Amino acid sequence: MTQAQLQETANIAAHGPDVGGGDWRKYFSFSTDHKVIGIQYLVTTFIFYLIGGVLATAVRTELATPEVDFVSRELYNSLFTVHATVMIFLWIVPAGTGGFGNYLVPLLIGARDMAFPKLNALAFWIIPPAGIMLMLSFFVGAPGSGWTSYPPLSLVNGKAGEAIWILSVLLLGTSSILAAVNFLVTIWKMRVPGMGWNQMPLFVWAMLATSALALIATPVLAGALILLSFDLIIGTSFFNPTGGGDPIVYQHLFWFYSHPAVYIMILPVFGMISEILPVHARKPIFGYKAIAYSSLAISFLGLIVWAHHMFTSGTPPWLRMFFMITTMVIAVPTGIKVFSWLATIWGGKLRLNSAMLFAMGFISMFVIGGISGVMVAAVPFDIHVHDTYFVVAHLHYVLFGGSVFGLYAGFYQWIPKMTGRMLNEPLGKIHFVMTLIGFNMAFLPMHKLGLEGMNRRIAEYDPKFATLNLVCSIGAYILAISTFPFIINVCWSLFRGPKAGNNPWGGLTLEWMTSSPPPVENFEADPVLATGPYDYGMGDRSTQVDVPFSEPSDPDLSAGPSSSLRAKADPAVAAHPDDREGESANRE
Amino acid sequence: MNIPSSIVTMLAGILLTLVSIWVGQNHGLLPAEASKEAPLIDGLFNTMMTISTGLFLLVVGVLIYSAFKFRQRPGDEADGPPVHGNIPLEILWTGIPAIIVLGLSIYSFEVYNAIGGLDPMGHSPIAHSKAAHQMAKMPGAAIAATLDTPPDSITEGQTRNQDIQDQAVQDPATASVRKDLPQKKDAPTLGTTSPRIGPTPENQGMPPEFVVNATGLQYAWIFTYPDTGIVSGELHLPVGREVLLNISANDVLHAFWVPEYRLKQDAVPGRQTELRFTPSLVGEYPVICAELCGPYHGAMKTKVIAQTEADFNAWVAEQKVASAEGLGAAIATNPSDRSTDEFLAPYTHEMGIHADLLKQLHPSSEGSHSSAS
């Protein structure tokens, strides 16, 4: 028996009934089912991703030529401001944490739902009104001070749009905080008996690190935005220099959240990649603990690097040095992850399907963003490239080449579980190739543009940059078009896709141990862990993984929970639910 | 012939190293080096580019090699080998990046020090004594309204921003373009609140060879040359002389950036930031505003004109004559007392625009253009 068969056999009792998709109307209701909420998040955020993409395409259309010829300068500033706000607060953050987090965390830990289902639904239902409000701001003059909204510019640039932006981001931040609390409690308290910290799937570790970060950092952004709204609306001068306020203070408060936000966007994706690679490489994840703990290290370090966004603003020299070193150190835990992923792939039996291709594409693109991240951490070099297209290239390699590639990998991996139907592979591969080509065409030349002297957030530029900008714009169009194969694929799969079965990829984690799509409350009975989450190729018996009820030196325990050698089943983790009672004594 | 895999690996490593070093030196990504500081920063970039190229090729090489070498063969449904860790290898790939970033930090620190970022004379007694001296000579010159304490009781280093602002507005030309905003006070213990790139180590403790005040406003830079009365929209600098740029802003954030100098500094209203550097190459380079400052941010551009000493002196002499007239006129008449047309009359006259023409343009306000002719 392979490990997958072993795990499936042990969990036959936990397997939920095959109920199909159920009533579609539940996706438009205040449902408390974490799977419904997860899909609500994913669909809503994907729609916002398309809107953000349209804005980005408009920005690139304007930049196809050096002159201001497509939109007015004011509208151009609104386009990139709303583009960034949508992509960050309405796509990557809620899709990674709210969408995949909600769908996967309870399944992965064998729970029946999140700890606070109503809070969960509330966190989701905050998002659509906040997003729609932001879109409607185009009717009253959309915010145009950049997604950073630095005062004093944001205080003089159009009050209505700015006020809407503040309110919208405040709401989205609140949603993020509510979700973070929910994840922390769920992961802490609701793991299936027998799943200690070191038996958790790596996506759960990543969500733990992400939620801790979101919970610590987001309230600071809320504080900054409330003060900014006071300056804007009732004329206080917290940040307004004419009244003695200090714009630099806003930058500190803003980046105290907004740098960790980068990790809030990338950590869940790291977690998903750690799930996808072992399944399709048919090998255990390499260095489980190193990957798990490096998420925590990134989460902690992410809190003490914010001022690297301010190397050319109001940061005194000693502070620049401190933040340079902390920023560079983040490369170490990140490097551990990248090398561990490479070692996971190395020597495996790779199934190069769409999920795997996007995961491998993620690694190669993210590495470019990570390397340029170390470069811009170096203060003397950052002084040159700060606020240029080099930084634009860097952040898109991290957030598109990183987060978005990873989110697509996640879609290809888990849509069969969510809908019960497979996606089309050739279309998925076309999608991958177009995304890879379009993305690199759009963003690789920007490195050179920035180094040569093109600053960011400009509607017009020196004609000497025209050729490269045209290449970027063409790449952006290819990137925009690349979305169509994916959308067609998903629509086709919903109605015509072949049935996925419970475990199309032969995975070992618990989401594959129930039907596709899983029923309400996921499992018929508590699932058990007959194998570790990544025990591919380990044969019938796990000796390598620290599963508490399996102990090779003890004859009674050597063959796992269902062993006939065993005098009496462990009441907490017995394979058959009738033998099961009480809490596990093994639980850490 | 069967070549052992260790030799193949070694050859691949050597090739990777050579390619990386070549790319690090020949990437051609940076513009001309026009300041004494630029080669130092480029050296740092080239080093990082070398390491980056190596790392990138390593990662992508492994991915592409794996995609071909380790792809699943048709019909093979078995799992791969259960390798799940290797402690020495993990220590290696934790240790090497740690050493690399530590090395880069130290190198960056050295470069930063060499371009004057960590000037230990941050509270230069020269700057302060000069300011104190001038304040004593001209009581009431500290016109910024929000000083809580009288100037005499200010302790050393406490109000560096105020000192520099006071000093800058001693120059009437600067005072005429710069808005008087409340200035930030410095932190009591840990130095200035305003960042600066100070003098390079060999120039430390010496006053800069000359000073230019740069003021950012929506959407222009105005450069004033103290003691000469020159006001210019373009920055003229003599090559080979160290210059101190005192940067501040009147309205919103701006940033002074000359890509060829590799130097950038935000202009923050209420703060006085400094850039001290030495232009080294004659030529014209763009001065770019690098901090979003409004719809016309992209148009907020001017030039730095680095000239030989002789050309620069000629320009100064020319400007002194021009600005003496200009300043005299500006002082004699307060522009706000006059209507727009009256104020613009001398200029429109020069351009060959006459009252009749203006009347056609403003048919509703007839009779108010007499001054144009």
Side-chain angles (χ1 to χ4, degrees):
Chain A
M1 249 196 314
T2 65
Q3 292 298 98
Q5 288 164 324
L6 188 70
Q7 182 83 309
E8 283 167 14
T9 314
N11 280 295
I12 287 171
H15 189 284
D18 211 343
V19 290
D23 188 359
W24 58 271
R25 270 171 292 218
K26 71 184 173 191
Y27 293 104
F28 296 90
S29 71
F30 192 85
S31 170
T32 52
D33 183 351
H34 74 97
K35 297 180 293 299
V36 175
I37 296 171
I39 290 170
Q40 285 174 329
Y41 263 112
L42 288 175
V43 173
T44 311
T45 53
F46 193 81
I47 292 169
F48 280 116
Y49 170 53
L50 297 179
I51 294 171
V54 169
L55 298 172
T57 312
V59 166
R60 277 315 321 173
T61 308
E62 172 59 63
L63 291 174
T65 56
E67 301 82 30
V68 185
D69 44 16
F70 178 62
V71 291
S72 71
R73 292 177 174 85
E74 287 80 3
L75 183 59
Y76 175 82
N77 285 7
S78 298
L79 287 177
F80 69 70
T81 301
V82 180
H83 158 72
T85 312
V86 166
M87 289 304 198
I88 292 165
F89 292 104
L90 287 160
W91 159 234
I92 302 179
V93 170
T97 59
F100 284 106
N102 252 308
Y103 196 91
L104 292 176
V105 165
L107 281 166
L108 287 171
I109 64 174
R112 286 162 191 243
D113 207 315
M114 295 284 285
F116 308 117
K118 283 184 182 157
L119 193 70
N120 201 15
L122 180 67
F124 166 73
W125 282 105
I126 290 175
I127 288 180
I132 292 166
M133 198 164 68
L134 187 65
M135 293 307 128
L136 292 180
S137 70
F138 275 103
F139 293 106
V140 293
S145 312
W147 82 280
T148 52
S149 263
Y150 278 1
L153 182 65
S154 56
L155 301 175
V156 298
N157 222 2
K159 257 184 186 165
E162 188 61 29
I164 290 172
W165 182 87
I166 291 173
L167 194 58
S168 175
V169 174
L170 270 179
L171 285 174
L172 296 167
T174 309
S175 160
S176 178
I177 293 170
L178 298 182
V181 173
N182 212 344
F183 282 121
L184 285 177
V185 177
T186 308
I187 295 169
W188 203 277
K189 298 301 287 184
M190 294 179 66
R191 278 167 292 137
V192 75
M195 186 185 277
W197 291 108
N198 288 329
Q199 285 85 46
M200 289 195 315
L202 288 165
F203 180 73
V204 181
W205 272 110
M207 284 305 299
L208 189 71
T210 310
S211 304
L213 202 52
L215 197 59
I216 295 168
T218 320
V220 179
L221 177 73
L225 294 183
I226 290 169
L227 295 182
L228 188 67
S229 70
F230 286 168
D231 274 11
L232 185 75
I233 295 162
I234 58 177
T236 54
S237 51
F238 291 106
F239 306 129
N240 193 343
T242 43
D246 192 351
I248 304 296
V249 173
Y250 173 83
Q251 298 180 10
H252 277 292
L253 294 173
F254 179 83
W255 288 113
F256 186 84
Y257 165 77
S258 294
H259 192 78
V262 175
Y263 300 105
I264 294 172
M265 289 186 264
I266 200 75
L267 278 172
V269 172
F270 284 168
M272 289 198 279
I273 297 299
S274 302
E275 298 296 328
I276 293 165
L277 291 178
V279 176
H280 296 297
R282 308 310 298 164
K283 267 186 72 200
I285 191 89
F286 193 98
Y288 171 89
K289 284 187 182 170
I291 294 184
Y293 300 161
S294 63
S295 290
L296 299 182
I298 290 173
S299 173
F300 169 72
L301 286 170
L303 284 168
I304 50 167
V305 300
W306 76 88
H308 66 214
H309 295 269
M310 302 163 57
F311 281 158
T312 67
S313 81
T315 320
W318 68 272
L319 208 61
R320 291 180 182 182
M321 293 297 110
F322 171 80
F323 282 103
M324 172 174 82
I325 291 165
T326 53
T327 306
M328 286 206 172
V329 167
I330 288 201
V332 176
T334 313
I336 290 173
K337 279 181 191 289
V338 170
F339 292 125
S340 298
W341 289 328
L342 291 181
T344 304
I345 292 173
W346 189 264
K349 298 184 174 179
L350 309 186
R351 297 194 298 225
L352 294 175
N353 51 29
S354 311
M356 187 65 169
L357 286 175
F358 267 106
M360 289 167 77
F362 161 88
I363 299 177
S364 55
M365 296 299 103
F366 178 76
V367 153
I368 298 179
I371 289 170
S372 58
V374 174
M375 288 181 168
V376 292
V379 173
F381 179 64
D382 184 68
I383 286 175
H384 175 50
V385 294
H386 180 76
D387 264 323
T388 68
Y389 264 79
F390 190 87
V391 172
V392 176
H394 159 70
L395 75 93
H396 282 97
Y397 268 89
V398 173
L399 293 181
F400 197 108
S403 298
V404 179
F405 270 65
L407 289 171
Y408 274 135
F411 278 120
Y412 283 102
Q413 175 83 350
W414 283 292
I415 278 184
K417 177 53 65 179
M418 294 173 187
T419 64
R421 287 172 190 271
M422 301 299 282
L423 290 163
N424 180 285
E425 271 306 315
L427 269 179
K429 284 179 181 142
I430 293 172
H431 177 211
F432 170 72
V433 171
M434 281 179 72
T435 309
L436 193 71
I437 293 172
F439 171 72
N440 280 299
M441 257 180 88
F443 295 108
L444 197 62
M446 288 184 187
H447 289 105
K448 181 161 173 66
L449 286 172
L451 289 167
E452 296 244 306
M454 181 163 163
N455 49 336
R456 63 192 284 205
R457 293 170 170 162
I458 49 171
E460 61 228 278
Y461 53 86
D462 194 321
K464 73 180 172 188
F465 300 129
T467 317
L468 281 180
N469 269 295
L470 189 61
V471 173
C472 293
S473 292
I474 294 168
Y477 283 122
I478 296 176
L479 202 52
I481 297 166
S482 79
T483 322
F484 290 107
F486 177 71
I487 298 170
I488 294 166
N489 200 348
V490 173
C491 294
W492 172 84
S493 153
L494 273 179
F495 300 103
R496 295 282 183 82
K499 293 275 184 207
N502 302 331
N503 193 358
W505 312 127
L508 296 180
T509 39
L510 293 177
E511 81 271 33
W512 307 112
M513 300 303 137
T514 185
S515 50
S516 311
V520 177
E521 301 210 330
N522 304 338
F523 302 101
E524 195 69 8
D526 277 355
V528 290
L529 301 169
T531 72
Y534 308 109
D535 287 357
Y536 301 100
M538 285 196 183
D540 264 9
R541 185 163 55 82
S542 162
T543 54
Q544 308 287 355
V545 171
D546 182 23
V547 182
F549 47 79
S550 164
E551 175 52 61
S553 57
D554 181 350
D556 278 355
L557 297 177
S558 61
S562 314
S563 169
S564 57
L565 293 172
R566 208 160 174 158
K568 204 165 155 250
D570 181 340
V573 294
H576 198 273
D578 290 352
D579 297 330
R580 224 177 282 164
E581 55 187 59
E583 279 285 308
S584 172
N586 295 324
R587 195 159 162 175
E588 284 176 20
Chain B
M1 195 176 68
N2 198 3
I3 306 169
S5 67
S6 56
I7 292 182
V8 176
T9 314
M10 191 185 72
L11 288 176
I14 291 171
L15 188 70
L16 187 93
T17 314
L18 290 176
V19 169
S20 306
I21 292 172
W22 187 85
V23 170
Q25 299 303 318
N26 297 288
H27 51 74
L29 291 170
L30 289 162
E33 294 171 342
S35 74
K36 254 175 76 183
E37 285 76 6
L40 297 167
I41 294 163
D42 289 4
L44 174 66
F45 177 68
N46 291 347
T47 309
M48 294 196 293
M49 197 65 198
T50 305
I51 299 170
S52 304
T53 310
L55 251 174
F56 173 72
L57 290 178
L58 180 72
V59 171
V60 174
V62 167
L63 281 172
I64 292 174
Y65 179 79
S66 303
F68 288 99
K69 172 87 177 169
F70 301 123
R71 69 194 315 162
Q72 189 186 39
R73 307 294 158 201
D76 181 4
E77 291 298 325
D79 289 348
V83 183
H84 63 94
N86 183 331
I87 299 294
L89 196 60
E90 287 174 51
I91 291 173
L92 189 76
W93 71 44
T94 310
I96 290 179
I99 291 166
I100 290 176
V101 296
L102 206 69
L104 282 180
S105 297
I106 293 168
Y107 187 8
S108 305
F109 185 91
E110 286 300 319
V111 170
Y112 189 56
N113 198 18
I115 63 173
L118 283 167
D119 176 21
M121 310 296 280
H123 304 285
S124 159
I126 294 151
H128 283 280
S129 60
K130 194 178 171 203
H133 171 71
Q134 285 182 340
M135 265 189 273
K137 250 169 81 175
M138 293 188 218
I143 43 178
T146 55
L147 273 180
D148 299 332
T149 41
D152 356 331
S153 68
I154 298 167
T155 52
E156 183 74 8
Q158 223 181 351
T159 54
R160 180 185 171 74
N161 284 311
Q162 190 66 59
D163 286 353
I164 299 173
Q165 168 79 353
D166 289 344
Q167 226 178 307
V169 297
Q170 296 294 318
D171 170 39
T174 309
S176 69
V177 297
R178 193 170 276 195
K179 202 167 154 190
D180 205 4
L181 289 165
Q183 298 294 312
K184 285 293 110 197
K185 289 195 176 181
D186 285 355
T189 49
L190 286 167
T192 61
T193 53
S194 299
R196 53 209 298 267
I197 295 294
T200 52
E202 70 270 18
N203 288 331
Q204 269 166 17
M206 294 194 287
E209 291 187 48
F210 80 113
V211 178
V212 181
N213 295 328
T215 308
L217 44 103
Q218 282 175 327
Y219 299 94
W221 289 106
I222 297 182
F223 301 102
T224 41
Y225 292 69
D227 309 327
T228 56
I230 298 176
V231 181
S232 172
E234 292 171 347
L235 180 60
H236 286 251
L237 296 176
V239 158
R241 243 162 86 184
E242 196 197 29
V243 56
L244 169 68
L245 217 54
N246 283 321
I247 305 169
S248 197
N250 276 359
D251 36 37
V252 299
L253 300 175
H254 302 276
F256 175 92
W257 181 36
V258 179
E260 280 77 5
Y261 290 170
R262 312 282 190 274
L263 289 175
K264 184 183 291 124
Q265 177 56 56
D266 284 14
V268 186
R271 284 176 191 246
Q272 307 293 323
T273 52
E274 294 170 42
L275 272 185
R276 210 165 144 171
F277 60 95
T278 313
S280 62
L281 201 65
V282 172
E284 288 187 14
Y285 312 107
V287 173
I288 297 167
C289 172
E291 185 68 63
L292 179 63
C293 60
Y296 288 80
H297 169 54
M300 183 170 163
K301 263 185 185 176
T302 181
K303 290 186 286 194
V304 52
I305 297 161
Q307 296 166 305
T308 58
E309 194 76 42
D311 286 350
F312 176 73
N313 290 337
W315 177 80
V316 168
E318 191 183 303
Q319 292 297 308
K320 266 186 181 164
V321 178
S323 70
E325 288 169 3
L327 202 62
I331 290 166
T333 55
N334 185 350
S336 63
D337 292 345
R338 299 191 288 177
S339 76
T340 315
D341 290 339
E342 282 169 345
F343 176 69
L344 290 175
Y347 305 97
T348 51
H349 188 66
E350 256 174 48
M351 292 158 74
I353 299 171
H354 302 287
D356 297 344
L357 195 65
L358 286 173
K359 262 178 198 159
Q360 286 171 353
L361 288 172
H362 303 281
S364 57
S365 55
E366 272 179 66
S368 63
H369 305 296
S370 53
S371 59
S373 51

